[in-house]
Amino acid sequence: MFPEIILNCAASADGKIALPDRKKVILSNKEDFERVHRLRTECDAILVGIGTVIEDNPKLTARNSKGKNPTRIILDTNFRIPKDANVFDGESKTIVAVGENTSVKEDKNIEIIKCGFKEVDLLKLLPELKSRGIDKILVEGGETVMWSFLEKKLFDKLYIFISNIVIGGTKTPTIAGGYGSKDVTNILKLEVKNAEIMGNGVLIEYAPKKI
């Protein structure tokens, strides 16, 4: 039994999520920031990959909205997370999911869940999280993590905020990374549930398309 999964991201008009050199760029506007932080308070946990932690060092809290801070879940197969990462600030519980053969030094500030080998096995991790009372998870990236959930159709909703800028670049990170679809028969089809203008951008809500 899996938790409810909500995928959320912001992108440029051409689908990019960072600059070509992977440096962070602000894509959400004020209205979208407020929406995201409200959404965080409605979820039991927020999940990101280790790449997001290393590149952006986020706090992953609901600091701009009244309500509880969600549990922070980091996918980190080889336990590369820096000791001074903001997710260890004690403002909320932090769970780090690592590979089963990964050597980990225990720390009172984090909980370790071992599942998978070459990468964290989501099909094993999600039931583990559900058993810990985590019923609703907000996934915020990065692009490889997004693709992992999309490819396996492990999501109930997908929110994409499209900003009013174009970044460009052949190798610039996009919403979904990973290997991508190998042929047209594997392309993931979505159902548009809602779309609304939000300031100078557009918020689109998708759901997996039912066969």
Side-chain angles (χ1 to χ4, degrees), residues 84-205:
D84 60 350
N86 284 331
V87 292
F88 295 148
D89 60 10
E91 291 190 25
S92 183
K93 180 179 180 179
T94 298
I95 296 173
V96 182
V98 303
E100 293 181 29
N101 293 331
T102 301
S103 177
V104 178
K105 186 176 181 180
E106 294 294 334
D107 190 297
K108 64 180 181 180
N109 293 323
I110 61 174
E111 179 181 354
I112 300 295
I113 297 179
K114 292 191 173 186
C115 56
F117 293 94
K118 291 184 179 181
E119 62 180 22
V120 173
D121 188 337
L122 294 178
L123 296 177
K124 291 183 178 180
L125 175 63
L126 294 176
E128 285 285 338
L129 296 173
K130 180 75 173 179
S131 71
R132 287 163 168 77
I134 296 176
D135 297 315
K136 191 173 184 179
I137 299 175
L138 178 62
V139 180
E140 290 196 6
E143 74 269 27
T144 302
V145 171
M146 284 291 182
W147 174 248
S148 296
F149 279 89
L150 289 166
E151 179 188 26
K152 297 177 179 66
K153 296 183 180 179
L154 293 174
F155 68 100
D156 300 281
K157 296 178 182 178
L158 166 62
Y159 289 107
I160 302 178
F161 176 79
I162 305 297
S163 70
N164 64 336
I165 64 173
V166 173
I167 296 175
T170 304
K171 297 182 179 181
T172 304
T174 61
I175 292 169
Y179 294 105
S181 300
K182 295 180 180 179
D183 55 61
V184 294
T185 61
N186 293 321
I187 291 176
L188 173 64
K189 295 182 179 180
L190 303 172
E191 180 180 349
V192 177
K193 305 297 289 187
N194 190 43
E196 63 177 296
I197 295 174
M198 187 174 286
N200 58 0
V202 179
L203 177 67
I204 305 175
E205 177 187 347

Side-chain angles (χ1 to χ4, degrees), residues 15-68:
K16 312 298 185 181
I17 61 171
L19 296 178
D21 61 1
R22 304 191 69 85
K23 286 183 180 179
K24 185 177 180 179
V25 58
I26 295 177
L27 295 163
S28 292
N29 57 18
K30 180 177 180 292
E31 294 89 343
D32 189 52
F33 274 123
E34 291 175 350
R35 176 192 66 86
V36 171
H37 283 273
R38 285 196 304 270
L39 187 56
R40 287 181 177 184
T41 66
E42 297 168 3
C43 295
D44 299 306
I46 178 171
L47 183 151
V48 300
I50 183 58
T52 296
V53 174
I54 291 175
E55 291 169 12
D56 300 337
N57 195 21
K59 293 175 70 69
L60 302 180
T61 57
R63 59 191 179 277
N64 292 341
S65 182
K66 293 181 179 180
K68 64 180 178 63

Side-chain angles (χ1 to χ4, degrees), residues 65-80:
S65 182
K66 293 181 179 180
K68 64 180 178 63
N69 284 323
T71 295
R72 298 171 287 199
I73 303 168
I74 314 301
L75 304 187
D76 184 11
T77 307
N78 298 310
F79 200 63
R80 297 187 293 133

